[in-house]
Amino acid sequence: MKLGPILTGPPASTDARASLVPDGRSSRWTEHRTARRRELIKTARRAIDVIGPGASMEDIAATADTSKSVYYRYFGDKTGLQRAVAEVVIAQMQQKVLGAAKAATGPREGFHSMVLAYLQMAQTSPNVYAFVTRVGIAESSAASGSSDDTLAHFLAAITAMISRPMRTFLLSPERSAGPDDAAPEYWPTAAIGMVRAVGEQWLSAPAGPDKPTEEQLARHITGWLFDGISPERTPTSTAALPSPTLPPTRAQAKDTP
């Protein structure tokens, strides 16, 4: 008995070539998921802005008019959502900060422009800023062994960006560098630490006549880091302060009648 061919259809080479052609349905599904994810992040930001940085997944999902299972499906857990929101917010902040630095004509002006841009972006939505800078991202990254700490990458990028002009400024011949001057490579890290610490304290402070504006605070920080706190700027000299009353020593107490 004569058997016909067991395999039918196009040759293997043609079939292999066909497998390289992207599936239109798969591509459309990927685009849909990307768009849906972007919309969920946008809705989450709106919810956090209104409710606060402690907004739960239920609160965020309710604002998006969906179930929290949808957020879990797209982001895994709250820390995953936190990281996703941080990536968007910090990318926008970095773009503005870098743009401000590029438009400056010198190190001092550039640093002031960067600080001002940072404060303005944070002030736009203090709740969202607090949400993305909470320790959950770093803790989750450390626990999982992941290096995807978005905030750390942002701060590192800004630190590296100001390192070169500040090194040039600190080592310039017109500056009278003394033996107590810190190594130039430490200054950018110290500067970023101050900006973030002062900025977060300023964000949490209640509004009032004593609270500086973004511009005023940016100038204060720039002055502290470039000029220090000189005696001329101190409102009261130490000579005018009363001397502290100290308890008598044992010898003095023995001689006292």
mmCIF file with all atom_site columns, all heavy atoms in Angstrom, residues 229-257:
data_model
loop_
_atom_site.group_PDB
_atom_site.id
_atom_site.type_symbol
_atom_site.label_atom_id
_atom_site.label_alt_id
_atom_site.label_comp_id
_atom_site.label_asym_id
_atom_site.label_entity_id
_atom_site.label_seq_id
_atom_site.pdbx_PDB_ins_code
_atom_site.Cartn_x
_atom_site.Cartn_y
_atom_site.Cartn_z
_atom_site.occupancy
_atom_site.B_iso_or_equiv
_atom_site.pdbx_formal_charge
_atom_site.auth_seq_id
_atom_site.auth_comp_id
_atom_site.auth_asym_id
_atom_site.auth_atom_id
_atom_site.pdbx_PDB_model_num
ATOM 1   N N   . ILE A 1 229 ? 26.861 80.580 56.600  1.00 0.00 ? 229 ILE A N   1
ATOM 2   C CA  . ILE A 1 229 ? 26.119 81.490 57.479  1.00 0.00 ? 229 ILE A CA  1
ATOM 3   C C   . ILE A 1 229 ? 27.152 82.400 58.132  1.00 0.00 ? 229 ILE A C   1
ATOM 4   O O   . ILE A 1 229 ? 27.835 82.016 59.078  1.00 0.00 ? 229 ILE A O   1
ATOM 5   C CB  . ILE A 1 229 ? 25.315 80.721 58.542  1.00 0.00 ? 229 ILE A CB  1
ATOM 6   C CG1 . ILE A 1 229 ? 24.336 79.764 57.856  1.00 0.00 ? 229 ILE A CG1 1
ATOM 7   C CG2 . ILE A 1 229 ? 24.555 81.674 59.457  1.00 0.00 ? 229 ILE A CG2 1
ATOM 8   C CD1 . ILE A 1 229 ? 23.522 78.917 58.811  1.00 0.00 ? 229 ILE A CD1 1
ATOM 9   N N   . SER A 1 230 ? 27.286 83.595 57.603  1.00 0.00 ? 230 SER A N   1
ATOM 10  C CA  . SER A 1 230 ? 28.315 84.516 58.087  1.00 0.00 ? 230 SER A CA  1
ATOM 11  C C   . SER A 1 230 ? 27.802 85.280 59.302  1.00 0.00 ? 230 SER A C   1
ATOM 12  O O   . SER A 1 230 ? 26.592 85.431 59.498  1.00 0.00 ? 230 SER A O   1
ATOM 13  C CB  . SER A 1 230 ? 28.684 85.508 56.971  1.00 0.00 ? 230 SER A CB  1
ATOM 14  O OG  . SER A 1 230 ? 27.547 86.272 56.601  1.00 0.00 ? 230 SER A OG  1
ATOM 15  N N   . PRO A 1 231 ? 28.715 85.821 60.134  1.00 0.00 ? 231 PRO A N   1
ATOM 16  C CA  . PRO A 1 231 ? 28.283 86.593 61.311  1.00 0.00 ? 231 PRO A CA  1
ATOM 17  C C   . PRO A 1 231 ? 27.420 87.788 60.939  1.00 0.00 ? 231 PRO A C   1
ATOM 18  O O   . PRO A 1 231 ? 26.538 88.178 61.696  1.00 0.00 ? 231 PRO A O   1
ATOM 19  C CB  . PRO A 1 231 ? 29.610 87.037 61.950  1.00 0.00 ? 231 PRO A CB  1
ATOM 20  C CG  . PRO A 1 231 ? 30.623 86.043 61.453  1.00 0.00 ? 231 PRO A CG  1
ATOM 21  C CD  . PRO A 1 231 ? 30.173 85.662 60.087  1.00 0.00 ? 231 PRO A CD  1
ATOM 22  N N   . GLU A 1 232 ? 27.701 88.390 59.768  1.00 0.00 ? 232 GLU A N   1
ATOM 23  C CA  . GLU A 1 232 ? 26.936 89.562 59.362  1.00 0.00 ? 232 GLU A CA  1
ATOM 24  C C   . GLU A 1 232 ? 25.465 89.241 59.178  1.00 0.00 ? 232 GLU A C   1
ATOM 25  O O   . GLU A 1 232 ? 24.607 90.101 59.308  1.00 0.00 ? 232 GLU A O   1
ATOM 26  C CB  . GLU A 1 232 ? 27.507 90.139 58.056  1.00 0.00 ? 232 GLU A CB  1
ATOM 27  C CG  . GLU A 1 232 ? 28.878 90.757 58.193  1.00 0.00 ? 232 GLU A CG  1
ATOM 28  C CD  . GLU A 1 232 ? 29.986 89.709 58.231  1.00 0.00 ? 232 GLU A CD  1
ATOM 29  O OE1 . GLU A 1 232 ? 29.683 88.535 57.970  1.00 0.00 ? 232 GLU A OE1 1
ATOM 30  O OE2 . GLU A 1 232 ? 31.129 90.072 58.546  1.00 0.00 ? 232 GLU A OE2 1
ATOM 31  N N   . ARG A 1 233 ? 25.172 87.965 58.843  1.00 0.00 ? 233 ARG A N   1
ATOM 32  C CA  . ARG A 1 233 ? 23.785 87.609 58.574  1.00 0.00 ? 233 ARG A CA  1
ATOM 33  C C   . ARG A 1 233 ? 23.099 87.093 59.832  1.00 0.00 ? 233 ARG A C   1
ATOM 34  O O   . ARG A 1 233 ? 21.924 86.777 59.808  1.00 0.00 ? 233 ARG A O   1
ATOM 35  C CB  . ARG A 1 233 ? 23.744 86.538 57.485  1.00 0.00 ? 233 ARG A CB  1
ATOM 36  C CG  . ARG A 1 233 ? 24.345 87.014 56.186  1.00 0.00 ? 233 ARG A CG  1
ATOM 37  C CD  . ARG A 1 233 ? 24.431 85.899 55.181  1.00 0.00 ? 233 ARG A CD  1
ATOM 38  N NE  . ARG A 1 233 ? 23.110 85.510 54.711  1.00 0.00 ? 233 ARG A NE  1
ATOM 39  C CZ  . ARG A 1 233 ? 22.900 84.590 53.759  1.00 0.00 ? 233 ARG A CZ  1
ATOM 40  N NH1 . ARG A 1 233 ? 23.928 83.970 53.222  1.00 0.00 ? 233 ARG A NH1 1
ATOM 41  N NH2 . ARG A 1 233 ? 21.681 84.283 53.383  1.00 0.00 ? 233 ARG A NH2 1
ATOM 42  N N   . THR A 1 234 ? 23.831 86.965 60.950  1.00 0.00 ? 234 THR A N   1
ATOM 43  C CA  . THR A 1 234 ? 23.236 86.498 62.186  1.00 0.00 ? 234 THR A CA  1
ATOM 44  C C   . THR A 1 234 ? 22.525 87.665 62.870  1.00 0.00 ? 234 THR A C   1
ATOM 45  O O   . THR A 1 234 ? 23.130 88.717 63.101  1.00 0.00 ? 234 THR A O   1
ATOM 46  C CB  . THR A 1 234 ? 24.317 85.947 63.137  1.00 0.00 ? 234 THR A CB  1
ATOM 47  O OG1 . THR A 1 234 ? 25.039 84.927 62.434  1.00 0.00 ? 234 THR A OG1 1
ATOM 48  C CG2 . THR A 1 234 ? 23.695 85.373 64.398  1.00 0.00 ? 234 THR A CG2 1
ATOM 49  N N   . PRO A 1 235 ? 21.233 87.557 63.203  1.00 0.00 ? 235 PRO A N   1
ATOM 50  C CA  . PRO A 1 235 ? 20.502 88.706 63.738  1.00 0.00 ? 235 PRO A CA  1
ATOM 51  C C   . PRO A 1 235 ? 21.026 89.187 65.080  1.00 0.00 ? 235 PRO A C   1
ATOM 52  O O   . PRO A 1 235 ? 20.994 90.359 65.375  1.00 0.00 ? 235 PRO A O   1
ATOM 53  C CB  . PRO A 1 235 ? 19.066 88.170 63.871  1.00 0.00 ? 235 PRO A CB  1
ATOM 54  C CG  . PRO A 1 235 ? 19.200 86.676 63.901  1.00 0.00 ? 235 PRO A CG  1
ATOM 55  C CD  . PRO A 1 235 ? 20.394 86.384 63.051  1.00 0.00 ? 235 PRO A CD  1
ATOM 56  N N   . THR A 1 236 ? 21.536 88.310 65.912  1.00 0.00 ? 236 THR A N   1
ATOM 57  C CA  . THR A 1 236 ? 22.026 88.704 67.231  1.00 0.00 ? 236 THR A CA  1
ATOM 58  C C   . THR A 1 236 ? 23.427 88.154 67.422  1.00 0.00 ? 236 THR A C   1
ATOM 59  O O   . THR A 1 236 ? 23.647 86.960 67.229  1.00 0.00 ? 236 THR A O   1
ATOM 60  C CB  . THR A 1 236 ? 21.107 88.164 68.334  1.00 0.00 ? 236 THR A CB  1
ATOM 61  O OG1 . THR A 1 236 ? 19.770 88.588 68.065  1.00 0.00 ? 236 THR A OG1 1
ATOM 62  C CG2 . THR A 1 236 ? 21.536 88.669 69.706  1.00 0.00 ? 236 THR A CG2 1
ATOM 63  N N   . SER A 1 237 ? 24.370 89.002 67.786  1.00 0.00 ? 237 SER A N   1
ATOM 64  C CA  . SER A 1 237 ? 25.732 88.522 67.986  1.00 0.00 ? 237 SER A CA  1
ATOM 65  C C   . SER A 1 237 ? 25.815 87.731 69.281  1.00 0.00 ? 237 SER A C   1
ATOM 66  O O   . SER A 1 237 ? 25.028 87.929 70.215  1.00 0.00 ? 237 SER A O   1
ATOM 67  C CB  . SER A 1 237 ? 26.709 89.708 68.038  1.00 0.00 ? 237 SER A CB  1
ATOM 68  O OG  . SER A 1 237 ? 26.456 90.489 69.177  1.00 0.00 ? 237 SER A OG  1
ATOM 69  N N   . THR A 1 238 ? 26.795 86.848 69.353  1.00 0.00 ? 238 THR A N   1
ATOM 70  C CA  . THR A 1 238 ? 26.945 86.028 70.550  1.00 0.00 ? 238 THR A CA  1
ATOM 71  C C   . THR A 1 238 ? 27.332 86.869 71.751  1.00 0.00 ? 238 THR A C   1
ATOM 72  O O   . THR A 1 238 ? 27.062 86.493 72.896  1.00 0.00 ? 238 THR A O   1
ATOM 73  C CB  . THR A 1 238 ? 28.025 84.960 70.325  1.00 0.00 ? 238 THR A CB  1
ATOM 74  O OG1 . THR A 1 238 ? 29.234 85.595 69.906  1.00 0.00 ? 238 THR A OG1 1
ATOM 75  C CG2 . THR A 1 238 ? 27.596 83.979 69.252  1.00 0.00 ? 238 THR A CG2 1
ATOM 76  N N   . ALA A 1 239 ? 27.964 88.056 71.516  1.00 0.00 ? 239 ALA A N   1
ATOM 77  C CA  . ALA A 1 239 ? 28.374 88.909 72.637  1.00 0.00 ? 239 ALA A CA  1
ATOM 78  C C   . ALA A 1 239 ? 27.169 89.453 73.381  1.00 0.00 ? 239 ALA A C   1
ATOM 79  O O   . ALA A 1 239 ? 27.235 89.763 74.570  1.00 0.00 ? 239 ALA A O   1
ATOM 80  C CB  . ALA A 1 239 ? 29.241 90.063 72.137  1.00 0.00 ? 239 ALA A CB  1
ATOM 81  N N   . ALA A 1 240 ? 26.052 89.611 72.661  1.00 0.00 ? 240 ALA A N   1
ATOM 82  C CA  . ALA A 1 240 ? 24.860 90.191 73.283  1.00 0.00 ? 240 ALA A CA  1
ATOM 83  C C   . ALA A 1 240 ? 24.060 89.162 74.058  1.00 0.00 ? 240 ALA A C   1
ATOM 84  O O   . ALA A 1 240 ? 23.131 89.506 74.778  1.00 0.00 ? 240 ALA A O   1
ATOM 85  C CB  . ALA A 1 240 ? 23.970 90.820 72.207  1.00 0.00 ? 240 ALA A CB  1
ATOM 86  N N   . LEU A 1 241 ? 24.414 87.898 73.920  1.00 0.00 ? 241 LEU A N   1
ATOM 87  C CA  . LEU A 1 241 ? 23.667 86.857 74.610  1.00 0.00 ? 241 LEU A CA  1
ATOM 88  C C   . LEU A 1 241 ? 24.127 86.736 76.046  1.00 0.00 ? 241 LEU A C   1
ATOM 89  O O   . LEU A 1 241 ? 25.321 86.885 76.337  1.00 0.00 ? 241 LEU A O   1
ATOM 90  C CB  . LEU A 1 241 ? 23.857 85.505 73.897  1.00 0.00 ? 241 LEU A CB  1
ATOM 91  C CG  . LEU A 1 241 ? 23.304 85.423 72.472  1.00 0.00 ? 241 LEU A CG  1
ATOM 92  C CD1 . LEU A 1 241 ? 23.655 84.062 71.875  1.00 0.00 ? 241 LEU A CD1 1
ATOM 93  C CD2 . LEU A 1 241 ? 21.796 85.636 72.454  1.00 0.00 ? 241 LEU A CD2 1
ATOM 94  N N   . PRO A 1 242 ? 23.235 86.512 76.995  1.00 0.00 ? 242 PRO A N   1
ATOM 95  C CA  . PRO A 1 242 ? 23.654 86.370 78.403  1.00 0.00 ? 242 PRO A CA  1
ATOM 96  C C   . PRO A 1 242 ? 24.470 85.107 78.585  1.00 0.00 ? 242 PRO A C   1
ATOM 97  O O   . PRO A 1 242 ? 24.231 84.089 77.951  1.00 0.00 ? 242 PRO A O   1
ATOM 98  C CB  . PRO A 1 242 ? 22.306 86.274 79.147  1.00 0.00 ? 242 PRO A CB  1
ATOM 99  C CG  . PRO A 1 242 ? 21.334 85.772 78.113  1.00 0.00 ? 242 PRO A CG  1
ATOM 100 C CD  . PRO A 1 242 ? 21.794 86.351 76.810  1.00 0.00 ? 242 PRO A CD  1
ATOM 101 N N   . SER A 1 243 ? 25.453 85.188 79.470  1.00 0.00 ? 243 SER A N   1
ATOM 102 C CA  . SER A 1 243 ? 26.281 84.019 79.749  1.00 0.00 ? 243 SER A CA  1
ATOM 103 C C   . SER A 1 243 ? 25.467 83.007 80.533  1.00 0.00 ? 243 SER A C   1
ATOM 104 O O   . SER A 1 243 ? 24.697 83.377 81.432  1.00 0.00 ? 243 SER A O   1
ATOM 105 C CB  . SER A 1 243 ? 27.516 84.419 80.565  1.00 0.00 ? 243 SER A CB  1
ATOM 106 O OG  . SER A 1 243 ? 28.277 85.367 79.858  1.00 0.00 ? 243 SER A OG  1
ATOM 107 N N   . PRO A 1 244 ? 25.606 81.741 80.223  1.00 0.00 ? 244 PRO A N   1
ATOM 108 C CA  . PRO A 1 244 ? 24.837 80.726 80.949  1.00 0.00 ? 244 PRO A CA  1
ATOM 109 C C   . PRO A 1 244 ? 25.304 80.605 82.389  1.00 0.00 ? 244 PRO A C   1
ATOM 110 O O   . PRO A 1 244 ? 26.477 80.784 82.705  1.00 0.00 ? 244 PRO A O   1
ATOM 111 C CB  . PRO A 1 244 ? 25.133 79.444 80.152  1.00 0.00 ? 244 PRO A CB  1
ATOM 112 C CG  . PRO A 1 244 ? 26.460 79.694 79.509  1.00 0.00 ? 244 PRO A CG  1
ATOM 113 C CD  . PRO A 1 244 ? 26.485 81.152 79.196  1.00 0.00 ? 244 PRO A CD  1
ATOM 114 N N   . THR A 1 245 ? 24.369 80.343 83.274  1.00 0.00 ? 245 THR A N   1
ATOM 115 C CA  . THR A 1 245 ? 24.683 80.166 84.684  1.00 0.00 ? 245 THR A CA  1
ATOM 116 C C   . THR A 1 245 ? 25.006 78.706 84.921  1.00 0.00 ? 245 THR A C   1
ATOM 117 O O   . THR A 1 245 ? 24.144 77.835 84.773  1.00 0.00 ? 245 THR A O   1
ATOM 118 C CB  . THR A 1 245 ? 23.498 80.584 85.565  1.00 0.00 ? 245 THR A CB  1
ATOM 119 O OG1 . THR A 1 245 ? 23.171 81.941 85.285  1.00 0.00 ? 245 THR A OG1 1
ATOM 120 C CG2 . THR A 1 245 ? 23.831 80.422 87.042  1.00 0.00 ? 245 THR A CG2 1
ATOM 121 N N   . LEU A 1 246 ? 26.256 78.410 85.288  1.00 0.00 ? 246 LEU A N   1
ATOM 122 C CA  . LEU A 1 246 ? 26.699 77.035 85.470  1.00 0.00 ? 246 LEU A CA  1
ATOM 123 C C   . LEU A 1 246 ? 26.720 76.694 86.942  1.00 0.00 ? 246 LEU A C   1
ATOM 124 O O   . LEU A 1 246 ? 26.959 77.562 87.805  1.00 0.00 ? 246 LEU A O   1
ATOM 125 C CB  . LEU A 1 246 ? 28.104 76.856 84.877  1.00 0.00 ? 246 LEU A CB  1
ATOM 126 C CG  . LEU A 1 246 ? 28.236 77.151 83.378  1.00 0.00 ? 246 LEU A CG  1
ATOM 127 C CD1 . LEU A 1 246 ? 29.694 76.995 82.958  1.00 0.00 ? 246 LEU A CD1 1
ATOM 128 C CD2 . LEU A 1 246 ? 27.347 76.230 82.569  1.00 0.00 ? 246 LEU A CD2 1
ATOM 129 N N   . PRO A 1 247 ? 26.478 75.447 87.302  1.00 0.00 ? 247 PRO A N   1
ATOM 130 C CA  . PRO A 1 247 ? 26.559 75.053 88.715  1.00 0.00 ? 247 PRO A CA  1
ATOM 131 C C   . PRO A 1 247 ? 27.998 75.154 89.206  1.00 0.00 ? 247 PRO A C   1
ATOM 132 O O   . PRO A 1 247 ? 28.943 74.976 88.442  1.00 0.00 ? 247 PRO A O   1
ATOM 133 C CB  . PRO A 1 247 ? 26.079 73.592 88.690  1.00 0.00 ? 247 PRO A CB  1
ATOM 134 C CG  . PRO A 1 247 ? 26.337 73.134 87.300  1.00 0.00 ? 247 PRO A CG  1
ATOM 135 C CD  . PRO A 1 247 ? 26.135 74.328 86.438  1.00 0.00 ? 247 PRO A CD  1
ATOM 136 N N   . PRO A 1 248 ? 28.219 75.494 90.495  1.00 0.00 ? 248 PRO A N   1
ATOM 137 C CA  . PRO A 1 248 ? 29.598 75.641 91.012  1.00 0.00 ? 248 PRO A CA  1
ATOM 138 C C   . PRO A 1 248 ? 30.328 74.309 91.022  1.00 0.00 ? 248 PRO A C   1
ATOM 139 O O   . PRO A 1 248 ? 29.718 73.250 91.117  1.00 0.00 ? 248 PRO A O   1
ATOM 140 C CB  . PRO A 1 248 ? 29.383 76.161 92.441  1.00 0.00 ? 248 PRO A CB  1
ATOM 141 C CG  . PRO A 1 248 ? 28.013 75.678 92.810  1.00 0.00 ? 248 PRO A CG  1
ATOM 142 C CD  . PRO A 1 248 ? 27.224 75.706 91.537  1.00 0.00 ? 248 PRO A CD  1
ATOM 143 N N   . THR A 1 249 ? 31.649 74.384 90.857  1.00 0.00 ? 249 THR A N   1
ATOM 144 C CA  . THR A 1 249 ? 32.458 73.172 90.944  1.00 0.00 ? 249 THR A CA  1
ATOM 145 C C   . THR A 1 249 ? 32.540 72.733 92.400  1.00 0.00 ? 249 THR A C   1
ATOM 146 O O   . THR A 1 249 ? 32.139 73.466 93.321  1.00 0.00 ? 249 THR A O   1
ATOM 147 C CB  . THR A 1 249 ? 33.858 73.429 90.395  1.00 0.00 ? 249 THR A CB  1
ATOM 148 O OG1 . THR A 1 249 ? 34.495 74.417 91.226  1.00 0.00 ? 249 THR A OG1 1
ATOM 149 C CG2 . THR A 1 249 ? 33.820 73.940 88.955  1.00 0.00 ? 249 THR A CG2 1
ATOM 150 N N   . ARG A 1 250 ? 33.111 71.544 92.634  1.00 0.00 ? 250 ARG A N   1
ATOM 151 C CA  . ARG A 1 250 ? 33.231 71.047 93.995  1.00 0.00 ? 250 ARG A CA  1
ATOM 152 C C   . ARG A 1 250 ? 34.104 71.967 94.834  1.00 0.00 ? 250 ARG A C   1
ATOM 153 O O   . ARG A 1 250 ? 33.826 72.252 96.012  1.00 0.00 ? 250 ARG A O   1
ATOM 154 C CB  . ARG A 1 250 ? 33.822 69.646 93.997  1.00 0.00 ? 250 ARG A CB  1
ATOM 155 C CG  . ARG A 1 250 ? 32.875 68.598 93.451  1.00 0.00 ? 250 ARG A CG  1
ATOM 156 C CD  . ARG A 1 250 ? 33.498 67.218 93.547  1.00 0.00 ? 250 ARG A CD  1
ATOM 157 N NE  . ARG A 1 250 ? 32.599 66.217 93.037  1.00 0.00 ? 250 ARG A NE  1
ATOM 158 C CZ  . ARG A 1 250 ? 32.878 64.916 93.009  1.00 0.00 ? 250 ARG A CZ  1
ATOM 159 N NH1 . ARG A 1 250 ? 34.074 64.483 93.444  1.00 0.00 ? 250 ARG A NH1 1
ATOM 160 N NH2 . ARG A 1 250 ? 31.991 64.032 92.532  1.00 0.00 ? 250 ARG A NH2 1
ATOM 161 N N   . ALA A 1 251 ? 35.198 72.477 94.229  1.00 0.00 ? 251 ALA A N   1
ATOM 162 C CA  . ALA A 1 251 ? 36.101 73.369 94.978  1.00 0.00 ? 251 ALA A CA  1
ATOM 163 C C   . ALA A 1 251 ? 35.397 74.656 95.344  1.00 0.00 ? 251 ALA A C   1
ATOM 164 O O   . ALA A 1 251 ? 35.525 75.175 96.450  1.00 0.00 ? 251 ALA A O   1
ATOM 165 C CB  . ALA A 1 251 ? 37.361 73.642 94.147  1.00 0.00 ? 251 ALA A CB  1
ATOM 166 N N   . GLN A 1 252 ? 34.625 75.209 94.403  1.00 0.00 ? 252 GLN A N   1
ATOM 167 C CA  . GLN A 1 252 ? 33.897 76.443 94.670  1.00 0.00 ? 252 GLN A CA  1
ATOM 168 C C   . GLN A 1 252 ? 32.846 76.226 95.757  1.00 0.00 ? 252 GLN A C   1
ATOM 169 O O   . GLN A 1 252 ? 32.633 77.062 96.622  1.00 0.00 ? 252 GLN A O   1
ATOM 170 C CB  . GLN A 1 252 ? 33.243 76.963 93.396  1.00 0.00 ? 252 GLN A CB  1
ATOM 171 C CG  . GLN A 1 252 ? 34.250 77.460 92.360  1.00 0.00 ? 252 GLN A CG  1
ATOM 172 C CD  . GLN A 1 252 ? 33.602 77.768 91.024  1.00 0.00 ? 252 GLN A CD  1
ATOM 173 O OE1 . GLN A 1 252 ? 32.565 77.188 90.694  1.00 0.00 ? 252 GLN A OE1 1
ATOM 174 N NE2 . GLN A 1 252 ? 34.188 78.685 90.267  1.00 0.00 ? 252 GLN A NE2 1
ATOM 175 N N   . ALA A 1 253 ? 32.171 75.087 95.665  1.00 0.00 ? 253 ALA A N   1
ATOM 176 C CA  . ALA A 1 253 ? 31.128 74.819 96.652  1.00 0.00 ? 253 ALA A CA  1
ATOM 177 C C   . ALA A 1 253 ? 31.722 74.658 98.044  1.00 0.00 ? 253 ALA A C   1
ATOM 178 O O   . ALA A 1 253 ? 31.133 75.055 99.056  1.00 0.00 ? 253 ALA A O   1
ATOM 179 C CB  . ALA A 1 253 ? 30.376 73.535 96.262  1.00 0.00 ? 253 ALA A CB  1
ATOM 180 N N   . LYS A 1 254 ? 32.958 74.101 98.135  1.00 0.00 ? 254 LYS A N   1
ATOM 181 C CA  . LYS A 1 254 ? 33.613 73.901 99.436  1.00 0.00 ? 254 LYS A CA  1
ATOM 182 C C   . LYS A 1 254 ? 33.993 75.225 100.061 1.00 0.00 ? 254 LYS A C   1
ATOM 183 O O   . LYS A 1 254 ? 33.948 75.402 101.270 1.00 0.00 ? 254 LYS A O   1
ATOM 184 C CB  . LYS A 1 254 ? 34.850 73.022 99.251  1.00 0.00 ? 254 LYS A CB  1
ATOM 185 C CG  . LYS A 1 254 ? 35.500 72.593 100.558 1.00 0.00 ? 254 LYS A CG  1
ATOM 186 C CD  . LYS A 1 254 ? 36.718 71.724 100.283 1.00 0.00 ? 254 LYS A CD  1
ATOM 187 C CE  . LYS A 1 254 ? 36.336 70.457 99.543  1.00 0.00 ? 254 LYS A CE  1
ATOM 188 N NZ  . LYS A 1 254 ? 37.514 69.558 99.360  1.00 0.00 ? 254 LYS A NZ  1
ATOM 189 N N   . ASP A 1 255 ? 34.389 76.203 99.193  1.00 0.00 ? 255 ASP A N   1
ATOM 190 C CA  . ASP A 1 255 ? 34.809 77.513 99.719  1.00 0.00 ? 255 ASP A CA  1
ATOM 191 C C   . ASP A 1 255 ? 33.641 78.417 100.031 1.00 0.00 ? 255 ASP A C   1
ATOM 192 O O   . ASP A 1 255 ? 33.811 79.483 100.619 1.00 0.00 ? 255 ASP A O   1
ATOM 193 C CB  . ASP A 1 255 ? 35.746 78.199 98.720  1.00 0.00 ? 255 ASP A CB  1
ATOM 194 C CG  . ASP A 1 255 ? 37.038 77.414 98.535  1.00 0.00 ? 255 ASP A CG  1
ATOM 195 O OD1 . ASP A 1 255 ? 37.391 76.651 99.461  1.00 0.00 ? 255 ASP A OD1 1
ATOM 196 O OD2 . ASP A 1 255 ? 37.677 77.571 97.455  1.00 0.00 ? 255 ASP A OD2 1
ATOM 197 N N   . THR A 1 256 ? 32.455 78.039 99.583  1.00 0.00 ? 256 THR A N   1
ATOM 198 C CA  . THR A 1 256 ? 31.290 78.905 99.786  1.00 0.00 ? 256 THR A CA  1
ATOM 199 C C   . THR A 1 256 ? 30.798 78.790 101.216 1.00 0.00 ? 256 THR A C   1
ATOM 200 O O   . THR A 1 256 ? 30.596 77.681 101.717 1.00 0.00 ? 256 THR A O   1
ATOM 201 C CB  . THR A 1 256 ? 30.156 78.505 98.834  1.00 0.00 ? 256 THR A CB  1
ATOM 202 O OG1 . THR A 1 256 ? 30.647 78.602 97.494  1.00 0.00 ? 256 THR A OG1 1
ATOM 203 C CG2 . THR A 1 256 ? 28.950 79.415 99.001  1.00 0.00 ? 256 THR A CG2 1
ATOM 204 N N   . PRO A 1 257 ? 30.649 79.913 101.935 1.00 0.00 ? 257 PRO A N   1
ATOM 205 C CA  . PRO A 1 257 ? 30.212 79.849 103.348 1.00 0.00 ? 257 PRO A CA  1
ATOM 206 C C   . PRO A 1 257 ? 28.762 79.362 103.464 1.00 0.00 ? 257 PRO A C   1
ATOM 207 O O   . PRO A 1 257 ? 27.980 79.533 102.566 1.00 0.00 ? 257 PRO A O   1
ATOM 208 C CB  . PRO A 1 257 ? 30.365 81.302 103.818 1.00 0.00 ? 257 PRO A CB  1
ATOM 209 C CG  . PRO A 1 257 ? 30.336 82.118 102.589 1.00 0.00 ? 257 PRO A CG  1
ATOM 210 C CD  . PRO A 1 257 ? 30.914 81.274 101.504 1.00 0.00 ? 257 PRO A CD  1
#
